[in-house]
Amino acid sequence: MNNWWPLLLTLVIQAMVAMALLTLPVMAPVVAQALDVSPALVGLYVSVTYAGAMLATLMGGATVARMGAIRVSQWGLLLCALGLLLCAVPWLPSMVLGAVLIGLGYGPITPASSHLLARTTPKPQMSLVFSIKQTGVPLGSMLAGAVVPPLALLIHWQMSMVFVAVLCLVCAWVSQALRAELDSDRHAGAAIYWGCLIQPIRLVVAHRALFTMASCSFMFSMVQLSLTTYLVTFLHEDLSYGLVAAGLALSVTQLGGIGGRVVWGYVADRWLGARRMLLLLASMMALGALASAFLTTETPQSVVIGILVTFGASAIGWNGVYLAEVARRAPAGMASMATGGTLAFTFLGVVLGPPMFGALSGLFGTYRAGFVGLMVMACISGTVLFWTQRSGRLVQ
């Protein structure tokens, strides 16, 4: 099989689960009005989904070994579809359960794809290939921002969720054609038990390079998900953008992330290496968050878009370099487990980040305060990367 087929399939699956996860946040003002709750509660939705994702990703290594990467991905798509259908019910307990299922479906997708790509990709191309695959996240988010708000206004927000759920099911069905070949390395007798939840964490903590990557991803994910979760609401409420215009601005921001992921992966492979590349991205995140905090209703739209594209290129563009470095540093045959262990830290940052952003914004009465908080987190992560580089605590 051509080595690009696994990349293409994992890219599409990643895009679909990302679209599923952001379907509700990109129309948060409409859903909040229908339920008579604050749009700021969307941060809690994201936290619940990623709490489920954190649990599922820790089981990713064991489930991939037993069922295969494609089968695990199919189950993930099915859970996302079911979660979206539950979120379409205008009742908060149903939405909470739906958020949990979406998280459980989203969590194992990256460990599964890392397992597949680690065994089909030449090492000199890993940062680029993993970065291309990770463009599925901003691609799915861009689709959510461009497609879901207009659908919500045209056919109702509940039917928008049903539409995305159907797309997830179609993707799971199409991937079945390649399942037998790509899951040929699975071991049907591999054990799955509760102890599998702690094994990935032990692996990460035992390897300094993996632990450093995990720690930085914790802070980077705070910045990324706070930006993508609250951007539409920030533009709508603080800058008086219409819902469709705000959704398109999110799509443009995600487009910056797509371009960034490919460029950063290429630059990391050819010149800078993972740590220097991530240090540069941390600096760009800090500047992007600070610039966003100073946006006003008087700021020209071209300036707003320019800032958001640059911010998105860094805050959304770091994942491929990070995941390739994790796969590169993982012990042989343990890429999915190492990825699951580091992603637990990543998802913990997502669980904590949006509620902290929402709490800061609520405390000061403006979303600009949340962006200042993101600047602080980016500065801390940059300091960690700079310190480890200077001290030589990571072995090149």
Side-chain angles (χ1 to χ4, degrees):
M1 175 181 290
N2 189 304
N3 286 339
W4 290 103
W5 276 112
L7 173 59
L8 178 61
L9 183 58
T10 54
L11 170 64
V12 172
I13 292 172
Q14 191 79 63
M16 285 312 310
V17 296
M19 185 179 184
L21 191 145
L22 275 181
T23 292
L24 191 149
V26 298
M27 53 181 178
V30 172
V31 178
Q33 184 178 16
L35 298 180
D36 195 24
V37 297
S38 169
L41 287 177
V42 69
L44 293 178
Y45 162 85
V46 172
S47 293
V48 170
T49 57
Y50 276 94
M54 186 165 55
L55 176 64
T57 195
L58 288 173
M59 298 295 291
T63 53
V64 166
R66 180 166 181 167
M67 295 189 291
I70 299 302
R71 179 64 83 214
V72 168
S73 299
Q74 288 175 311
W75 274 106
L77 288 163
L78 180 62
L79 287 171
C80 284
L82 182 57
L84 284 168
L85 295 177
L86 287 173
C87 285
V89 179
W91 185 46
L92 285 178
S94 176
M95 288 186 161
V96 170
L97 180 57
V100 171
L101 291 181
I102 291 172
L104 291 175
Y106 185 89
I109 298 299
T110 300
S113 61
S114 290
H115 171 85
L116 193 57
L117 295 178
R119 68 183 181 91
T120 59
T121 305
K123 286 198 172 183
Q125 299 176 3
M126 286 186 73
S127 288
L128 177 60
V129 169
F130 275 69
S131 293
I132 292 174
K133 193 276 296 184
Q134 282 303 113
T135 61
V137 176
L139 177 61
S141 302
M142 185 177 70
L143 288 172
V147 174
V148 174
L151 276 179
L153 297 177
L154 182 65
I155 63 173
H156 202 268
W157 64 269
Q158 292 167 297
M159 291 306 299
S160 299
M161 290 188 174
V162 173
F163 175 78
V164 178
V166 170
L167 290 181
C168 288
L169 294 176
V170 170
C171 184
W173 175 70
V174 170
S175 63
Q176 180 64 26
L178 296 175
R179 195 251 167 170
E181 185 171 357
L182 294 180
D183 283 353
S184 60
D185 65 332
R186 66 190 179 95
H187 303 287
I192 299 178
Y193 50 93
W194 285 111
C196 295
L197 289 172
I198 198 65
Q199 284 181 339
I201 301 295
R202 287 176 176 169
L203 175 65
V204 169
V205 173
H207 291 75
R208 192 182 298 273
L210 294 177
F211 186 65
T212 299
M213 289 296 103
S215 300
C216 290
S217 76
F218 167 76
M219 291 175 274
F220 283 175
S221 64
M222 283 187 165
V223 179
Q224 178 181 344
L225 263 293
S226 295
L227 172 63
T228 56
T229 299
Y230 281 101
L231 181 59
V232 170
T233 305
F234 166 64
L235 293 175
H236 183 67
E237 296 193 356
D238 281 19
L239 302 189
S240 301
Y241 277 54
L243 185 62
V244 173
L248 289 175
L250 174 62
S251 295
V252 171
T253 305
Q254 299 290 351
L255 188 61
I258 291 173
R261 291 190 184 205
V262 176
V263 172
W264 308 146
Y266 183 80
V267 172
D269 276 340
R270 291 293 299 272
W271 296 297
L272 292 184
R275 282 184 297 150
R276 290 187 182 91
M277 188 71 256
L278 292 172
L279 176 58
L280 175 61
L281 293 178
S283 303
M284 291 178 62
M285 285 183 219
L287 293 174
L290 181 62
S292 298
F294 282 95
L295 295 177
T296 69
T297 55
E298 303 300 322
T299 305
Q301 190 176 45
S302 60
V303 175
V304 173
I305 295 301
I307 290 173
L308 292 179
V309 168
T310 305
F311 194 4
S314 57
I316 304 170
W318 58 275
N319 308 67
V321 176
Y322 144 72
L323 288 170
E325 183 69 0
V326 169
R328 189 182 291 115
R329 301 282 184 173
M334 302 183 74
S336 61
M337 182 176 292
T339 301
T342 56
L343 280 177
F345 290 84
T346 308
F347 291 159
L348 180 60
V350 175
V351 170
L352 298 178
M356 289 176 60
F357 186 100
L360 277 174
S361 301
L363 180 64
F364 290 93
T366 174
Y367 290 105
R368 294 181 179 86
F371 283 108
V372 173
L374 298 187
M375 181 196 69
V376 172
M377 296 310 301
C379 288
I380 293 173
S381 60
T383 301
V384 170
L385 287 164
F386 181 76
W387 178 77
T388 55
Q389 183 173 333
R390 287 292 300 271
S391 64
R393 288 174 179 264
L394 277 178
V395 180
Q396 287 288 353

